[in-house]
Amino acid sequence: MTRIFGVVRRLAWLVIAIAIVLVAAGSGLLAVLTMRGLPTTNGTLAIDGLERGARVTRDASGIAMISAETSHDLFLAQGYVHAQDRMWQMEVWRHISAGRLSELFG
């Protein structure tokens, strides 16, 4: 009788360990899927078409402030930042229109 309880106890611990691993893997997958639509806010990026360059800084709330020497560079940077900020929305709408929203949210 004691041997059966020992086997059941080991089996219960195994099930608990597998559940913990599955929850951790699911959380990691959700984080990766959610974060890939967020804009990159650090570093330097070279964009074809810029004449003299533009500088994009963000305040603590993530609001972009763009400075450029030419209006062409300003509007190009503004379009890039706008598309970057809307990437998550565009990704969700793409999945909605294809009927595959469950790929993102399960």
Side-chain angles (χ1 to χ4, degrees):
M1 195 73 156
T2 313
R3 182 179 163 115
I4 294 173
F5 286 127
V7 170
V8 169
R9 187 180 316 166
R10 275 192 229 141
L11 185 60
W13 280 111
L14 180 64
V15 168
I16 290 171
I18 290 172
I20 289 172
V21 168
L22 288 175
V23 166
S27 298
L29 180 63
L30 181 64
V32 167
L33 289 175
T34 304
M35 297 300 280
R36 81 175 171 184
L38 295 177
T40 303
T41 57
N42 300 354
T44 302
L45 181 65
I47 300 174
D48 291 336
L50 285 177
E51 295 169 355
R52 295 192 184 145
R55 181 174 187 83
V56 178
T57 56
R58 293 182 183 264
D59 65 7
S61 300
I63 307 299
M65 292 164 279
I66 305 168
S67 59
E69 291 183 31
T70 66
S71 60
H72 176 267
D73 291 347
L74 176 69
F75 292 131
L76 190 89
Q78 180 186 11
Y80 186 86
V81 168
H82 182 75
Q84 194 180 36
D85 287 344
R86 289 193 57 219
M87 188 57 73
W88 189 85
Q89 178 189 12
M90 292 187 292
E91 181 75 11
V92 170
W93 283 4
R94 185 174 67 87
H95 280 80
I96 288 172
S97 65
R100 298 184 345 231
L101 193 59
S102 63
E103 289 179 4
L104 292 177
F105 300 110

